[in-house]
Amino acid sequence: MTRIYKHRLFWPLVALAALLLACSIKRPDILGITVLDGHLFGAPIDILRNSAPLLLVALGMTLVIATRGIDLSVGATVAIAGAVALTFIASSDQPGSLGTALGAIFVAVGLCFLLGCFNGLLVAKFGIQPIIATLILMTAGRGMAMLITNGQITTVTSAPFSSLASGFLMGLPVAAIIAYGVYLVVSILVRRTALGMLLESVGINPEASRLAGVKSKTLVFTVYALCGLLAGLAGLIFASNTMAADANNAGLFIELDAILAVVIGGTSLAGGKFNLSGTLIGVLIITTLSLTVTVLGVSPLVTSLFKAIVVIAVTLMMSTRLRTMLAGLRERRRFQEVSA
Amino acid sequence: MIASTPQQRPTAATEAEHQPTSPIVQMSGITVEFPGVKALENVDFRLFPGEVHALMGENGAGKSTLIKALTGVNQIASGSITVNATPIRFSGPADARENGISTVYQEVNLCTNLTVAENIMLGSEPRRFGGLDWRSMRRQAAVFLKRMGLNIDPGSSLGSHSLAVQQLVAISRAMVVDAKVLILDEPTSSLDTDEVEQLFAVMRQLREDGVAILFVSHFLDQIYAISDRITILRNGALVEERLTGELPQRELVSLMIAGTSDATVGQVIERNVVSARKSDAKPLLQAVGLGRKGAVQPFDLELYPGEVIGMAGLLGSGRTELARLLYGADKADEGSIQLHGVQAKLRTPRQALGHKIAYTSEDRKGEGVIGDLSVAENIILGLQAARGWTRPLPATKAAQVVDAYIKALGVRPANPQALLKNLSGGNQQKVLLARWLATAPKLLLLDEPTRGIDIGAKTEIMNLVSELAEQGMSVVFISAELEEVLRLSDRIVVMRDHTKVAEIPSSQDVDVPRLIEIIATGEENT
Amino acid sequence: MSVATATVSGRVTPKLSLDRRYLPVIGTVVVFLLMLLVGGVRYENFLSPAVISNLFINNAHLIVLATGMTFVILTGGIDLSVGAVLALSSVITATLLQAGIPLIIVLPVALLAGSVIGLGMGVMIQYFEVQPFVATLAGMFLARGLCFIFAPQSVPIRDQGFVSLTNWGLTVGRWRLTAAVVIALLVVVGALWVLHRTRFGRTVYAVGGGEQSATLMGLRVARTKVLVYVISGTCASLAGILFAMFSRSGYALTGVGMELDAIAAVVIGGTLLVGGMGFVAGSLVGVMVLGLIQTIITFEGTLSSWWTKIVIGVLLLVFVILQRILSLRRT
């Protein structure tokens, strides 16, 4: 029993279960899945679909955080990806063709990868603190997205591109398939290659890792580049969802949600050991939170209040100080019981 | 910058003057325990007004623990402390400071981003109109600086001055509260000769004023130049308290380091030293004029396959720095290295690793152990780093390597999935050795591999070194315990004051007293 | 051993060499002057009193935010909550005034909201060892959520007292000074005094320079680390009141991303994000630089407003790299 209680994912899972429970008390049928035209529908499917961009971003963020870093620029990168892809399609002769859509995807993701490389360069090569290095792109990025869309909210129609978000494949939303597919690939990549271990090694003890011959600069550079690439993918899903490149609002605060998901999932911002399954649960908690708030009939605007409560609760629960304080209390109570 | 001229005081005479006075600090029967270890056991220590009292001992002897016990950083399990004959326990450095006991640490614990004046006065700063009075703060600071013989602008930022000046500023800060006792914990380790002399002049002045100074240093010459009395600790126990004038250097060194490895005698395989090197052998590594400013004076060194080179010398003598240069952990600023007669670049650990050189740091926790990773991961880290992340070690191969080394080295618990931070020091060391042995190095640099681990593990590690050399590996073995060095080495390099002072073949007529003599005097033929 | 017996003849004369602590700030001032120069040469009426006055009037709230942020960053922390706290205090002010509660009660309540949130974050950071980034992120979400609970829509302010406070202003020739600007400048002066003339202020610097050293020097580190967040929170809610004066309303969605502007202003103003080095005066100039970028882009006419963000980003990049080179040379 105590083992389960002490598992690092215990509290996050409790939080997720509580949110789902709250939903189903209000609307008992909410967790059901129906089949319509061969596609699956229902709240769980919505959660999977809606969590897609955040999952992609949080995935990259987890790896960056493992190296004692942080990437604030992912939100701006999301906006840039959307702006580039939709502008590419809009300026093409055949906006509806598959080739155009693929070209847009390729150009957008490629650019975001380069932006990730820029962050990696600042952090790994110039040794600038990650939080400032990525603050630069966070600030300039949205301006760049505006520059690309010329300040307009570019709206386009391209069936192949819009299927990224709204399409279905084998009954499942394409967005979810992409995000969870990438999640699976990265999870396997990280644990099947030595990337995960070396990242953790660099995050836990950089000097010992250097003396052990680990190429920490290359590794750090790689995760920022990867983080940019994943944010680009997330941006494409966002853009395809609305089919409008909104440079101001696309991916707004997604970096904060992603960091939140990582922290809720039990990966410390201090770096080192990371936990991709924890991040997945964190992403699901944040996405479910929005659903719960809607179901409970609270204004969605207040969602952030609940986020605050979740963050405070989870981080305090994980704080060693509070744990020792609680343990001390329990001890004292036991002592009192014994002496009484 | 210093007004007074250095002078050697007749220490015995000084002693005679002080003998009648009672000690200002008296520590009796001090025992300090950390989880699983007794860091200090039943140690007595006394400090008289107007004396410089040197606290001597190798790593782990308990010097810092004793200081921390006095200033209230470490809890005392048993024993008593009296200051001016009043029993007292301080709650921490700030409390001790208020009661006239100030500490100046090796790493100057001041704020380099503040001004000199603030660093001296903050906490007892003059005020005007409810705010800091900068003008009189600078003026008062200048008074203290002048007493240190420093003529610097109190308004300048501390970081713009040399470490020596920062050290003196730290002492000035100690003086603001009218310190009766001044603890100087290795203040000289990063100072050059002139700066040390400047510091000593200040110390002599303070001694004149009746301040009791507790002085920790690893430099024997400095101890003899400044101290009146010496207390020697070894392995957490008091060895002796002696007047400096009555304790020859040779005897001091032997009191500090001899006898520690008694328990290993007879359990270690005697190395057949003679067979080690064939006369026509070619050197594996040749260092010519290799050096790094402030760390090691340029030195020449040749290492042969199948040979163990022992490195002897006190802490801070440059033995670690030398090994780090050979591994590329620090960059040499002069000299060159040849491997198998070919010029080689060794500027990063990774390059060294590529040349099959391995190094275990003396700072096991800071520079070796990746605590949150498992034993298995720690073992394969070196191998994996050499392969890069894209080519993971096949799981079966990794398991084989890990199992083989856990068995061969007797790592306990023999659980590859245990987190390394949960293992004992000796077992952590074995895991780190395994990390390097798995890379099949041709040259293994071992910096204090036996420090702080139990006797059994010590013996095992020494036997292992013997075997490795037998198999043709070249080993550099650094240890503070001369018995170990003598037992294992084919040749012994002696370091003193960042300089390689001797290189002698290990033979019948080289014994511990002889080594101590070289370490103490720096001369090979005495 | 006593100080009194020693006499010093004459003060030690400070050398005239440039202290490198001032280098980043001087860099910022140079950039600011250059921008003024370029603007003055390029555009008519650029160097007019009206433009300069507006620079202050439009950015009064940001000056206060950046001042509070400077305290936090000097200790090596960060405060992401200030934009949301600004919104919260403006919403509280507007809603309470609409409910007919007198100004004299409303303003302290609005101010206190920020202090309390700051205190909460400070305690989380200091006593529960939550990273500043996460704790203030929680503070941001909390404040933003509370805004919507108070008022999801924009609330206009019609209170007589508040409006007359808003309308108050000094006009000398074509120079104009509003109450908000006066308050903002007073905050800057107060911050200067606290940071440079009190033990607390020097402890703020000491903590940023090295927490362990500060502790060993016997300074009150824990109290200081909590207090800087209280100060930042209070400044943020004061900025909220100033913003309410500026917009004569309270709206839950104001100040989104404003924490970034504040951080950018502080960094451009020469304060190191690792802590221990920087000046409130620098942050003031930083805010002015940000404001001037906006002004120049408006004057340019053909340039779109999004260039503002790009220019700020480029400026950040240049400053950060310069600071990096400076700190490398120091070691």
Side-chain angles (χ1 to χ4, degrees):
Chain A
M1 186 63 208
T2 45
R3 286 186 72 97
I4 298 174
Y5 166 77
K6 278 193 177 145
H7 192 276
R8 58 204 300 183
L9 291 183
F10 177 75
W11 287 111
L13 278 170
V14 166
L16 183 59
L19 288 173
L20 290 172
L21 192 70
C23 285
S24 46
I25 286 174
K26 183 84 178 181
R27 275 178 35 200
D29 59 332
I30 190 152
L31 296 182
I33 295 172
T34 53
V35 183
L36 209 70
D37 297 340
H39 304 330
L40 297 175
F41 284 99
I45 302 296
D46 285 345
I47 291 176
L48 282 188
R49 192 212 332 249
N50 295 345
S51 63
L54 183 59
L55 181 64
L56 288 169
V57 172
L59 188 59
M61 189 70 81
T62 311
L63 301 183
V64 167
I65 287 177
T67 64
R68 297 190 172 186
I70 201 154
D71 188 348
L72 296 181
S73 70
V74 286
T77 312
V78 162
I80 290 176
V84 168
L86 293 187
T87 312
F88 184 91
I89 292 172
S91 62
S92 146
D93 301 335
Q94 304 159 291
S97 80
L98 182 65
T100 310
L102 287 179
I105 291 171
F106 182 76
V107 171
V109 170
L111 180 66
C112 293
F113 176 73
L114 289 181
L115 291 174
C117 291
F118 171 75
N119 283 334
L121 196 72
L122 289 183
V123 175
K125 178 79 184 164
F126 296 138
I128 293 169
Q129 266 179 293
I131 192 169
I132 325 178
T134 55
L135 179 69
I136 293 167
L137 189 56
M138 183 190 194
T139 314
R142 287 204 183 271
M144 285 161 64
M146 295 264 228
L147 199 65
I148 293 163
T149 60
N150 221 353
Q152 319 275 300
I153 296 185
T154 314
T155 317
V156 296
T157 27
S158 160
F161 189 74
S162 77
S163 66
L164 264 185
S166 49
F168 280 85
L169 197 68
M170 296 178 296
L172 288 168
V174 174
I177 292 178
I178 292 176
Y180 286 81
V182 169
Y183 172 82
L184 220 62
V185 169
V186 172
S187 305
I188 292 171
L189 181 84
V190 158
R191 291 304 172 193
R192 281 299 161 91
T193 68
L195 186 62
M197 184 185 94
L198 294 182
L199 285 178
E200 290 184 341
S201 158
V202 167
I204 296 166
N205 191 337
E207 182 57 13
S209 304
R210 183 181 83 94
L211 288 179
V214 179
K215 272 187 174 172
S216 45
K217 283 187 181 174
T218 318
L219 282 174
V220 170
F221 178 85
T222 309
V223 290
Y224 282 93
L226 184 66
C227 192
L229 188 139
L230 292 175
L233 265 182
L236 291 182
I237 294 178
F238 253 111
S240 125
N241 200 21
T242 53
M243 288 311 277
D246 183 351
N248 266 327
N249 295 313
L252 194 63
F253 295 135
I254 199 171
E255 62 277 347
L256 300 183
D257 279 343
I259 294 166
L260 211 58
V262 174
V263 172
I264 291 174
T267 301
S268 161
L269 277 186
K273 280 275 184 190
F274 66 90
N275 188 343
L276 287 180
S277 44
T279 300
L280 174 61
I281 293 171
V283 168
L284 288 176
I285 288 179
I286 291 172
T287 321
T288 311
L289 191 64
S290 311
L291 178 78
T292 313
V293 168
T294 327
V295 168
L296 293 184
V298 187
S299 154
L301 296 171
V302 193
T303 311
S304 68
L305 193 65
F306 290 91
K307 270 186 202 165
I309 293 169
V310 172
V311 188
I312 294 173
V314 172
T315 49
L316 285 189
M317 277 305 179
M318 290 178 180
S319 139
T320 41
R321 177 81 174 251
L322 189 75
R323 282 191 175 180
T324 43
M325 266 169 65
L326 289 178
L329 272 180
R330 231 172 288 142
E331 199 83 344
R332 207 175 308 156
R333 198 172 306 151
R334 201 170 303 151
F335 179 74
Q336 280 164 349
E337 277 165 16
V338 169
S339 53
Chain B
M1 292 226 267
I2 285 290
S4 66
T5 49
Q7 52 179 4
Q8 194 78 34
R9 283 161 47 116
T11 43
T14 316
E15 184 50 35
E17 288 165 27
H18 290 311
Q19 205 63 334
T21 56
S22 54
I24 180 161
V25 173
Q26 173 97 49
M27 303 172 80
S28 317
I30 302 293
T31 299
V32 173
E33 287 173 351
F34 295 131
V37 251
K38 278 194 173 167
L40 281 182
E41 193 163 12
N42 198 22
V43 171
D44 298 331
F45 177 77
R46 52 190 189 146
L47 187 60
F48 290 93
E51 73 167 354
V52 174
H53 191 140
L55 191 56
M56 300 292 291
E58 277 288 271
N59 249 328
K63 300 178 306 265
S64 328
T65 314
L66 187 70
I67 292 173
K68 286 178 180 163
L70 173 59
T71 53
V73 178
N74 286 342
Q75 291 294 317
I76 300 166
S78 65
S80 71
I81 301 175
T82 62
V83 174
N84 281 327
T86 320
I88 198 162
R89 289 271 173 99
F90 298 119
S91 64
D95 187 23
R97 183 175 136 85
E98 274 162 34
N99 287 282
I101 299 180
S102 286
T103 313
V104 175
Y105 302 88
Q106 172 186 13
E107 311 282 328
V108 181
N109 273 298
L110 295 179
C111 292
T112 47
N113 60 326
L114 300 184
T115 64
V116 171
E118 285 171 280
N119 272 297
I120 296 175
M121 301 303 299
L122 221 53
S124 5
E125 70 278 357
R127 290 164 170 277
R128 202 165 60 123
F129 306 129
L132 302 186
D133 182 353
W134 277 91
R135 184 175 294 186
S136 80
M137 188 152 96
R138 279 194 287 263
R139 204 167 44 226
Q140 290 181 22
V143 177
F144 288 103
L145 289 173
K146 199 166 188 195
R147 285 187 45 192
M148 297 292 129
L150 282 179
N151 183 22
I152 57 172
D153 174 16
S156 57
S157 90
L158 184 69
S160 65
H161 298 289
S162 70
L163 268 178
V165 170
Q166 294 186 22
Q167 201 75 252
L168 294 174
V169 170
I171 297 176
S172 308
R173 177 174 177 79
M175 292 300 109
V176 170
V177 289
D178 214 8
K180 296 279 185 279
V181 175
L182 182 61
I183 301 169
L184 300 175
D185 190 359
E186 291 194 51
T188 56
S189 51
S190 42
L191 306 188
D192 66 27
T193 327
D194 291 345
E195 293 169 335
V196 169
E197 203 38 65
Q198 189 177 355
L199 176 70
F200 281 4
V202 169
M203 286 170 68
R204 291 192 187 98
Q205 181 59 48
L206 292 172
R207 174 165 63 187
E208 293 288 339
D209 295 341
V211 178
I213 300 176
L214 173 56
F215 180 60
V216 179
S217 168
H218 292 291
F219 298 97
L220 295 180
D221 293 349
Q222 294 177 3
I223 296 297
Y224 280 91
I226 191 79
S227 74
D228 307 304
R229 196 196 298 266
I230 299 177
T231 289
I232 300 140
L233 297 178
R234 195 171 62 219
N235 290 340
L238 174 68
V239 178
E240 241 182 292
E241 186 212 84
R242 295 277 282 275
L243 293 179
T244 311
E246 296 166 7
L247 180 65
Q249 281 208 17
R250 211 164 296 173
E251 200 186 340
L252 170 63
V253 175
S254 74
L255 286 175
M256 283 166 65
I257 53 186
T260 42
S261 52
D262 286 351
T264 62
V265 175
Q267 295 174 10
V268 180
I269 305 168
E270 281 294 335
R271 287 218 335 116
N272 187 358
V273 170
V274 193
S275 74
R277 196 206 311 175
K278 298 187 190 81
S279 54
D280 60 341
K282 295 237 167 57
L284 172 73
L285 179 147
Q286 278 174 290
V288 182
L290 202 65
R292 180 179 159 87
K293 201 167 171 288
V296 199
Q297 298 291 328
F299 64 91
D300 297 341
L301 188 64
E302 290 186 353
L303 303 175
Y304 292 86
E307 199 187 32
V308 178
I309 300 284
M311 295 256 281
L314 294 175
L315 190 73
S317 60
R319 55 188 195 201
T320 295
E321 289 79 353
L322 189 150
R324 287 178 68 93
L325 284 191
L326 294 181
Y327 185 60
D330 297 323
K331 289 186 182 117
D333 29 55
E334 54 186 312
S336 64
I337 293 181
Q338 291 187 356
L339 286 166
H340 301 292
V342 183
Q343 204 66 245
K345 258 194 195 168
L346 286 179
R347 301 186 68 77
T348 64
R350 212 181 146 70
Q351 287 171 341
L353 207 59
H355 288 297
K356 295 276 173 203
I357 301 175
Y359 166 74
T360 64
S361 166
E362 56 164 350
D363 181 4
R364 196 163 51 224
K365 203 170 160 211
E367 299 183 345
V369 168
I370 315 268
D372 278 321
L373 288 190
S374 69
V375 168
E377 287 170 318
N378 268 285
I379 291 179
I380 63 167
L381 184 64
L383 266 184
Q384 189 59 66
R387 294 169 72 100
W389 69 267
T390 46
R391 295 192 305 132
L393 205 61
T396 46
K397 175 87 192 304
Q400 247 171 24
V401 170
V402 169
D403 280 347
Y405 280 104
I406 286 181
K407 263 201 206 87
L409 302 181
V411 175
R412 293 284 170 276
N415 172 12
Q417 296 316 317
L419 293 188
L420 189 57
K421 64 177 176 192
N422 296 333
L423 269 60
S424 74
N427 282 301
Q428 288 184 352
Q429 190 66 55
K430 287 180 192 169
V431 169
L432 294 183
L433 274 173
R435 177 191 295 169
W436 294 119
L437 295 180
T439 65
K442 292 192 176 122
L443 168 59
L444 183 59
L445 307 162
L446 298 173
D447 194 353
E448 296 239 40
T450 56
R451 186 210 293 173
I453 64 180
D454 62 70
I455 301 282
K458 244 178 215 185
T459 315
E460 285 170 23
I461 286 175
M462 288 171 66
N463 286 341
L464 180 73
V465 170
S466 282
E467 281 167 36
L468 291 172
E470 211 95 326
Q471 291 160 19
M473 197 181 290
S474 172
V475 181
V476 172
F477 182 83
I478 302 175
S479 174
E481 300 192 18
L482 298 182
E483 284 278 350
E484 291 181 6
V485 174
L486 275 171
R487 195 170 290 275
L488 279 177
S489 315
D490 300 84
R491 271 184 300 148
I492 298 171
V493 169
V494 180
M495 300 293 294
R496 187 180 197 275
D497 288 353
H498 303 301
T499 314
K500 179 183 161 195
V501 290
E503 182 177 331
I504 45 176
S506 179
S507 59
Q508 295 299 327
D509 49 304
V510 179
D511 52 7
V512 171
R514 173 97 173 86
L515 271 185
I516 286 174
E517 196 172 298
I518 303 175
I519 292 172
T521 61
E523 283 158 33
E524 210 171 316
N525 307 307
T526 39
Chain C
M1 295 269 48
S2 74
V3 188
T5 54
T7 50
V8 189
S9 51
R11 280 179 54 214
V12 182
T13 44
K15 281 179 223 126
L16 273 175
S17 70
L18 198 60
D19 197 319
R20 64 187 323 147
R21 280 176 300 165
Y22 300 115
L23 279 182
V25 186
I26 291 168
T28 314
V29 172
V30 168
V31 168
F32 180 66
L33 293 179
L34 272 179
M35 286 169 70
L36 277 181
L37 192 74
V38 169
V41 171
R42 262 183 88 93
Y43 319 111
E44 250 177 86
N45 294 331
F46 187 82
L47 289 175
S48 67
V51 170
I52 307 293
S53 299
N54 276 331
L55 201 54
F56 280 91
I57 292 167
N58 295 338
N59 292 297
H61 59 281
L62 193 54
I63 292 175
V64 178
L65 278 190
T67 304
M69 184 71 79
T70 310
F71 277 84
V72 173
I73 290 182
L74 277 175
T75 63
I78 199 148
D79 189 351
L80 298 180
S81 72
V82 293
V85 171
L86 174 138
L88 178 63
S89 120
S90 78
V91 167
I92 289 179
T93 308
T95 353
L96 293 188
L97 286 178
Q98 200 181 37
I101 296 167
L103 194 62
I104 202 85
I105 297 175
V106 171
L107 291 185
V109 168
L111 265 185
L112 216 58
S115 320
V116 170
I117 290 179
L119 179 68
M121 295 186 304
V123 168
M124 268 176 90
I125 290 163
Q126 178 60 29
Y127 295 104
F128 294 104
E129 288 149 16
V130 180
Q131 285 114 335
F133 195 93
V134 177
T136 59
L137 185 59
M140 166 183 165
F141 283 136
L142 183 77
R144 198 60 83 181
L146 287 175
C147 282
F148 289 110
I149 287 190
F150 274 104
Q153 265 85 41
S154 175
V155 182
I157 298 177
R158 298 199 185 83
D159 180 88
Q160 266 313 308
F162 195 80
V163 170
S164 59
L165 186 66
T166 311
N167 285 340
W168 184 85
L170 273 177
T171 312
V172 181
R174 293 180 55 210
W175 294 89
R176 218 154 60 82
L177 207 60
T178 60
V181 175
V182 174
I183 293 172
L185 292 180
L186 282 178
V187 168
V188 171
V189 172
L192 276 173
W193 190 82
V194 168
L195 278 177
H196 296 281
R197 289 270 169 177
T198 66
R199 190 192 293 181
F200 164 75
R202 303 320 290 167
T203 308
V204 169
Y205 279 89
V207 169
E211 207 174 316
Q212 202 197 350
S213 297
T215 312
L216 283 171
M217 282 171 76
L219 301 172
R220 300 181 68 175
V221 171
R223 195 185 67 155
T224 306
K225 274 178 69 190
V226 175
L227 263 182
V228 289
Y229 289 95
V230 176
I231 289 178
S232 174
T234 314
C235 279
S237 48
L238 178 62
I241 295 172
L242 298 190
F243 198 80
M245 288 166 70
F246 183 72
S247 62
R248 290 212 198 160
S249 66
Y251 181 38
L253 276 176
T254 45
V256 171
M258 213 179 263
E259 59 278 348
L260 290 184
D261 291 336
I263 295 171
V266 172
V267 172
I268 289 175
T271 301
L272 294 189
L273 268 175
V274 285
M277 211 160 107
F279 302 95
V280 168
S283 303
L284 175 64
V285 183
V287 173
M288 292 294 106
V289 168
L290 293 191
L292 213 51
I293 291 173
Q294 196 111 44
T295 314
I296 288 180
I297 281 165
T298 317
F299 265 81
E300 187 63 33
T302 57
L303 274 182
S304 334
S305 65
W306 48 83
W307 276 101
T308 318
K309 285 183 171 170
I310 298 179
V311 175
I312 294 175
V314 171
L315 212 57
L316 268 177
L317 179 65
V318 171
F319 270 82
V320 162
I321 288 182
L322 280 182
Q323 285 188 1
R324 180 72 193 152
I325 293 169
L326 265 181
S327 66
L328 273 185
R329 253 205 265 146
R330 193 165 40 154
T331 49

